[in-house]
Amino acid sequence: HAPVAFDGGGARLATASEFGMVGIWDLGSQKRWREFRGHTNHVTSVAFSPDSAMLVSGSRDGTVRVWDVERGCEVHSLRTMSMVR
């Protein structure tokens, strides 16, 4: 199953893929609004920050990535010693 997370206002939904991508969907238009690439393996978790400005994703590639939702870019990456669940 693919992880999902709603933003704080309930207007957007983040989805994770087994191909290393994270998508953010605008629920009003029902279209993908952003797509983040950087993981090299299955994305296992996604979560918005409390203010919905940032999105965090974890992957079986052993990385945790922090994305700026509005700017559409990665702002930080952490490497772990094992896959992230």
Side-chain angles (χ1 to χ4, degrees), residues 3-29:
V4 298
F6 287 97
D7 74 352
R12 295 182 180 142
L13 176 72
T15 60
S17 84
E18 61 187 60
F19 305 109
M21 294 184 308
V22 175
I24 298 182
W25 300 81
D26 180 284
L27 297 177
S29 67

Side-chain angles (χ1 to χ4, degrees), residues 13 19 37 60 63 67 83:
L13 176 72
F19 305 109
R37 296 176 181 263
R60 287 185 181 164
T63 63
W67 312 93
M83 74 175 174

Side-chain angles (χ1 to χ4, degrees), residues 43-70:
V43 178
T44 56
S45 59
V46 290
F48 281 97
S49 63
D51 64 0
S52 300
M54 300 289 170
L55 181 73
V56 177
S57 58
S59 171
R60 287 185 181 164
D61 66 6
T63 63
V64 175
R65 297 179 187 273
V66 181
W67 312 93
D68 183 308
V69 172
E70 290 299 320

